[in-house]
Amino acid sequence: MIRKPKNSEKAFEEAVKYIPGGVNSPVRAFKSVGGTPRFIKRAKGAYLTDEDNNRYIDLIGSWGPMILGHAFAPVENAVRKAIRSSFSFGAPTVKEVEMARLITDLMPSVEMVRMVNSGTEATMSAIRLARAYTGRNKIIKFEGCYHGHGDAFLISAGSGALSLGVPDSPGITPSTLQDTLTAPYNNLEAVKALVNSHKGQIAALIIEPVVGNMGCVLPADGYLQALRDICTQEGILYIFDEVMTGFRLAPGGAQERFGIQPDLTTLGKIIGGGMPVGAYGGKKEIMQMVAPSGPMYQAGTLSGNPIAMSAGLAMLKHLKKHPEVYEQLEETGQYIAEGLRKSVAELGLGYTVNQVGSMYSLFFTPEKVIDYTTAKTADTAKFGKYFHGMLQRGVYLAPSQFESLFLSAKIDRKLANKILRASHDTLASLAED
Ligand code: HOZ
């Protein structure tokens, strides 16, 4: 039984006094679904526990990195061991080298890599690098893709911006706007038109190879390769933002799964085992432009932090050693997606389920969701009710229609069935409304 979230309500009342909107990242505020955000005090395995001692099956997994479940023992032990040697040095460590070697081993397109502290830092730096390398200013991004909160990306942005209905943030200068070109996801002709009308001006094309930030949206067959070809032909750097998909959709991320070699890749929290880490990497020739080996400046005291590196190494080493994790995630993802489709059909609802590996979304629309326009046809009010129905039944979804869900290896068949039952019961109760 889920108790009334009295302690979360109290905590939120206090939070709004000191933190804008009461949260440190907008989607968490539950604004698009209504109600009070749950304040989480701990998590273990597949479960989150809130301040009122309610336990939920977690389908966010800290937005991706908890692929092995929360407080995974090898990661926890690595952190415990690392903190005995202090928390930060602002000087190089052998762990950073080990991490860099491991990433280049798992992702062959990444020949050199620079650690940073978040996905946002990774994407901002990758774009600066692309501009430095090509001597061009403009970039192409896709409507509804989210690459963190760097100025250049807050144009037609997905994730929280889309959930709050403000995909273009104020505070972005006209020159930034001018340099960011946007195309609809999965639309090749639009990209060709942008490239043709800005010949020799485009430094980079950045994409979420599978979008997680307008809900889960898959690339059409051949789309990622067609973009690769255009980029090669036009001297544009092809950047895969794998903050969500890296080491999740395959040991080598979406690029392994779809057989694409991007020029640059951005990575996030999974390489810190859930701690605040990001990285950008790619071809040696490009990465050697980064200071101090080259002139493109980027720096950070906490970059390559020893605790975060220890956590990430434990996580990535485990994933490398246990490829069966990916088979299990694949099976669970398919099982849940099929179960949801069956349930939706039985109830005569006609909603859309998108899924790839351990990422999925149930969209409250009968439309095939392939881009920003089709994602926006979803009935977000219905989704809000569904969200709360699931919460009441002990399942914690992303509090937005426009965020993918992430499965962990701790979701076994029994828990998958629990999720499906909760979903069926919630959808059935909504149909009666
Ligand atoms: N917008 C982030 C996921 N796409 C959510 C970040 C958070 O609230 O932690």
Side-chain angles (χ1 to χ4, degrees):
M1 218 257 306
I2 300 292
R3 281 171 286 273
K4 217 175 156 325
K6 286 193 194 141
N7 293 338
S8 282
E9 280 167 4
K10 241 187 269 157
F12 193 51
E13 249 174 59
E14 202 57 12
V16 290
K17 292 184 198 161
Y18 307 107
I19 304 172
V23 290
N24 284 311
S25 195
V27 180
R28 297 177 199 175
F30 278 29
K31 266 205 151 173
S32 69
V33 292
T36 306
R38 300 307 187 258
F39 281 63
I40 304 302
K41 65 175 175 190
R42 65 170 173 270
K44 179 78 188 158
Y47 292 96
L48 294 174
T49 303
D50 72 9
E51 289 287 346
D52 295 276
N53 289 323
N54 291 314
R55 215 163 73 116
Y56 307 97
I57 300 173
D58 180 20
L59 290 180
I60 303 183
S62 193
W63 307 94
M66 296 304 172
I67 190 165
L68 297 167
H70 287 277
F72 182 63
V75 175
E76 196 183 322
N77 293 337
V79 170
R80 281 183 197 284
K81 194 167 161 213
I83 56 176
R84 287 190 222 127
S85 307
S86 189
F87 312 121
S88 172
F89 312 125
T93 67
V94 291
K95 284 180 185 158
E96 296 162 72
V97 186
E98 196 183 350
M99 172 63 88
R101 202 185 306 119
L102 187 54
I103 293 174
T104 57
D105 182 31
L106 288 164
M107 265 184 186
S109 80
V110 177
E111 294 169 355
M112 288 187 116
V113 58
R114 167 59 63 85
M115 274 353 128
V116 288
N117 300 295
S118 67
T120 292
E121 271 189 54
T123 52
M124 278 172 14
S125 308
I127 291 296
R128 186 182 309 138
L129 175 58
R131 287 179 168 143
Y133 181 78
T134 59
R136 301 171 177 181
N137 290 338
K138 296 194 188 297
I139 62 162
I140 296 180
K141 78 172 279 288
F142 291 88
E143 291 168 4
C145 280
Y146 180 76
H147 305 287
H149 59 84
D151 284 0
F153 305 120
L154 289 181
I155 294 155
S156 298
S159 186
L162 177 56
S163 310
L164 296 176
V166 286
D168 298 330
S169 170
I172 311 292
T173 62
S175 62
T176 302
L177 279 171
Q178 237 177 33
D179 284 337
T180 303
L181 309 171
T182 55
Y185 193 78
N186 273 327
N187 185 327
L188 199 57
E189 290 315 308
V191 173
K192 283 184 186 161
L194 284 177
V195 169
N196 285 335
S197 55
H198 297 88
K199 277 264 172 212
Q201 298 173 53
I202 301 169
L205 179 149
I206 185 165
I207 190 165
E208 293 182 73
V210 167
V211 190
N213 286 295
M214 49 182 160
C216 177
V217 178
L218 279 66
D221 281 350
Y223 188 61
L224 297 173
Q225 183 58 49
L227 294 176
R228 169 70 281 178
D229 296 342
I230 293 174
C231 287
T232 305
Q233 218 173 314
E234 301 291 333
I236 297 168
L237 296 192
Y238 193 24
I239 306 178
F240 265 23
D241 181 349
E242 294 231 43
V243 166
M244 284 178 168
T245 54
F247 311 110
R248 172 167 278 278
L249 292 187
Q255 52 196 269
E256 176 183 327
R257 190 173 185 114
F258 296 102
I260 309 288
Q261 291 258 313
D263 299 305
L264 291 174
T265 298
T266 57
L267 298 166
K269 41 225 163 208
I270 196 162
I271 59 167
M275 292 195 68
V277 183
Y280 62 103
K283 290 192 179 136
K284 204 172 205 161
E285 185 197 333
I286 306 169
M287 289 303 292
Q288 269 171 335
M289 291 279 298
V290 179
S293 67
M296 194 291 285
Y297 199 73
Q298 179 271 308
T301 298
L302 293 171
S303 302
N305 173 272
I307 315 295
M309 290 296 101
S310 304
L313 279 170
M315 167 90 91
L316 293 190
K317 280 183 187 168
H318 184 92
L319 289 171
K320 186 177 176 197
K321 227 168 118 188
H322 294 278
E324 72 279 6
V325 167
Y326 292 95
E327 281 162 37
Q328 188 216 325
L329 288 167
E330 209 65 34
E331 270 173 29
T332 312
Q334 275 171 28
Y335 183 77
I336 290 185
E338 276 160 26
L340 288 174
R341 287 189 189 111
K342 204 169 135 222
S343 156
V344 156
E346 262 174 43
L347 295 165
L349 292 170
Y351 296 149
T352 298
V353 179
N354 282 359
Q355 173 260 337
V356 56
S358 55
M359 293 172 69
Y360 77 94
S361 287
L362 167 63
F363 286 99
F364 282 71
T365 176
E367 296 263 342
K368 210 169 161 214
V369 179
I370 55 162
D371 59 12
Y372 183 72
T373 308
T374 46
K376 281 206 310 186
T377 63
D379 183 340
T380 50
K382 263 261 154 75
F383 173 81
K385 289 184 181 164
Y386 175 73
F387 171 84
H388 282 288
M390 291 296 276
L391 205 58
Q392 253 340 92
R393 290 170 175 85
V395 182
Y396 192 92
L397 305 176
S400 163
Q401 171 74 99
F402 305 116
E403 299 280 1
S404 178
L405 298 177
F406 298 94
L407 296 168
S408 80
K410 293 286 182 217
I411 310 254
D412 56 15
R413 193 46 68 91
K414 200 168 146 209
L415 286 188
N417 283 331
K418 245 180 160 170
I419 294 165
L420 288 173
R421 204 168 319 117
S423 178
H424 189 81
D425 292 350
T426 305
L427 289 172
S429 73
L430 295 185
E432 284 161 14
D433 270 4

